[in-house]
Amino acid sequence: MGNGCFYADRLAAGYGKRPVAEGLSFHAGRGEIVTLIGPNGAGKSTILKTISGGLAPMGGELVLDGVPMERIPRKERARKLAVVFTEKLQGELMTCRDVTAAGRYPYTGRLGLLSEKDQRAVDQALELVHGTDLGDRPFDRISDGQRQRIMLARALCQEPEMILLDEPTSHLDVKYKLEFLSLLREMARKKDLSVLMSLHELDLAERISDRVVCIKDGRMDRCGTPEQVFTPGYVEGLFGMTAGKFDAAGGSVEFSVPGGAVKPEDLPENAVFVIAGNGSGRQVFRKLQRENVPFVTGILFENDLDLPAAEALAAHVVKVPLGPVPEEAVREARAWIRRCQRVICCRTGFGVWEKENEDLFKYAERSGKTAGES
């Protein structure tokens, strides 16, 4: 359960009489970001709607700041819990300040009049999201990235203990994705907020989250730190990937090998051998893959930055454990070079531990192969 601001214990969430997800137990502490990931239809949005109070739990318990959430009066819950969901707010005839000020309504009376304290809270929220200059602008005439900042300002205006966000970056370009999540991280720390959100972008989830909750087939498949969750081969199983590969180390997705792995005798005549290493080969690998040119690469150590992309895209990889390079690996690489039409060298120099790859480069030159950068 944890001792954090929020925890779910054996939560069941769904519509009607059938739960979409059940048996969920996780927590979000103060200043922490917890992210739900999983395939479409796994139940992430339903879970968030249940925690927000939009749906009644079908089982289990939700606790906020030590109090079961069903015992928290609705108005007090609105103060403790802020929601930023994907449905676009209809903000016609509203300024960005008006939208932000809506976060103060749990504190106002029946007439919804803002006090001086409320106005100061609006000013502070806009300042926190770097949106002061947007205050007088029409909400429906600003960019999606700016809208997300204003929606976050509205949530911060509530002075909540927890913020829920459902796919907050789904309509944003890469610039605004990074800006928004950086801002969210800053606010979680500065305001000591518990943040629970869902994300499709696995690379962002891996980098922004303190913990990741993986949902599959209506169950919590795995929960832990990004290092515990994003292990080799796990994401492919979570999402049922049949094409391509997720690089757990780099957070990127690679397409499948054109035609699959091959034996030396089956290597097409147009195949090339790539001498890479230390991250120098990834762009070349992807270029060859796009051009449907089969390639072999090596010699790569098992911890090399190029290895995940190589294993996803190459027809064959000559790889070795970290340490002295066995002579048999050198002979294997030379045999592949003889089979290939040409050699591409991505390196501008070789380190003290790369003597074998430097020798391969010289061997390619002596063999009359075309060696050089792609």
Side-chain angles (χ1 to χ4, degrees):
M1 295 182 185
N3 297 316
C5 174
F6 164 84
Y7 71 79
D9 183 26
R10 299 186 299 276
L11 173 66
Y15 301 85
K17 297 182 179 180
R18 177 176 294 183
V20 173
E22 56 187 333
L24 310 173
S25 297
F26 58 90
H27 74 280
R30 295 279 192 175
E32 289 186 335
I33 294 180
V34 178
T35 304
L36 305 178
I37 67 170
N40 287 334
K44 302 184 296 296
S45 295
T46 304
I47 294 166
L48 292 174
K49 288 178 181 177
T50 301
I51 295 171
S52 73
L55 294 172
M58 302 183 70
E61 188 175 30
L62 296 172
V63 177
L64 183 61
D65 201 21
V67 181
M69 289 181 68
E70 72 268 16
R71 297 182 189 174
I72 302 176
R74 186 170 182 176
K75 189 165 187 176
E76 184 180 352
R77 184 189 292 195
R79 295 177 180 178
K80 289 177 174 288
L81 187 65
V83 177
V84 180
F85 281 177
T86 50
E87 293 85 356
K88 287 192 176 182
L89 178 69
Q90 299 302 313
E92 292 87 352
L93 305 181
M94 296 179 70
T95 66
C96 292
R97 185 179 181 83
D98 294 334
V99 173
T100 304
R104 295 304 298 174
Y105 290 155
Y107 297 89
T108 62
R110 290 184 178 180
L111 297 179
L113 300 177
L114 300 181
S115 66
E116 289 187 10
K117 180 181 178 181
D118 295 322
Q119 297 288 2
R120 286 196 298 271
V122 175
D123 291 335
Q124 291 170 0
L126 285 170
E127 184 177 351
L128 283 170
V129 303
H130 313 297
T132 301
D133 60 331
L134 299 174
D136 295 329
R137 295 180 59 181
F139 181 75
D140 60 353
R141 295 184 185 178
I142 59 176
S143 70
D144 285 339
Q146 292 169 328
R147 288 188 187 191
Q148 283 296 74
R149 277 196 281 148
I150 296 303
M151 294 301 291
L152 181 58
R154 185 181 74 164
L156 293 172
C157 220
Q158 291 179 230
E159 299 178 356
E161 296 174 8
M162 184 176 185
I163 295 182
L164 303 179
L165 306 99
D166 187 17
E167 302 292 349
T169 60
S170 59
H171 301 297
L172 306 184
D173 64 27
V174 63
K175 173 180 182 291
Y176 285 121
K177 287 179 194 288
L178 295 176
E179 283 185 1
F180 182 81
L181 291 179
S182 297
L183 182 61
L184 189 64
R185 164 60 73 194
E186 180 184 353
M187 292 301 99
R189 298 289 191 254
K190 186 178 292 186
K191 292 292 188 179
D192 210 22
L193 294 169
S194 299
V195 176
L196 178 63
M197 65 178 171
S198 62
L199 278 181
H200 274 309
E201 300 93 336
L202 300 182
D203 56 334
L204 298 180
E206 184 175 7
R207 287 160 174 77
I208 194 70
S209 309
D210 294 292
R211 273 188 307 285
V212 179
V213 180
C214 307
I215 309 297
K216 181 181 181 183
D217 298 329
R219 299 280 181 177
M220 189 172 74
D221 194 68
R222 184 179 284 192
C223 178
T225 64
E227 294 75 21
Q228 292 169 329
V229 167
F230 292 103
T231 56
Y234 176 71
V235 167
E236 289 89 336
L238 177 66
F239 285 86
M241 292 171 59
T242 57
K245 183 177 181 180
F246 179 78
D247 174 9
S252 61
V253 175
E254 302 291 354
F255 290 98
S256 300
V257 178
V262 298
K263 298 178 181 179
E265 59 269 23
D266 297 327
L267 196 65
E269 291 183 358
N270 66 331
V272 302
F273 190 97
V274 182
I275 299 174
N278 199 30
S280 65
R282 288 174 291 190
Q283 296 301 323
V284 173
F285 298 163
R286 291 164 185 158
K287 181 174 183 290
L288 293 171
Q289 193 271 348
R290 290 194 304 271
E291 295 173 353
N292 202 30
V293 176
F295 69 92
V296 178
T297 187
I299 301 170
L300 296 178
F301 290 115
E302 289 182 342
N303 67 340
D304 196 281
L305 294 173
D306 277 332
L307 187 61
E311 290 188 322
L313 300 176
H316 182 79
V317 181
V318 181
K319 65 177 180 178
V320 296
L322 188 63
V325 177
E327 181 59 33
E328 61 192 54
V330 176
R331 289 196 297 269
E332 179 188 356
R334 288 188 174 194
W336 282 105
I337 286 176
R338 290 194 294 272
R339 288 279 182 176
C340 291
Q341 183 183 72
R342 60 191 178 102
V343 173
I344 295 173
C345 183
C346 305
R347 308 304 303 271
T348 56
F350 296 92
V352 294
W353 300 104
E354 300 175 300
K355 180 181 181 302
E356 288 76 15
N357 277 340
E358 185 175 11
D359 288 344
L360 284 181
F361 177 78
K362 294 176 180 177
Y363 176 77
E365 288 187 313
R366 292 195 302 270
S367 300
K369 306 288 182 176
T370 302
E373 296 184 6
S374 175

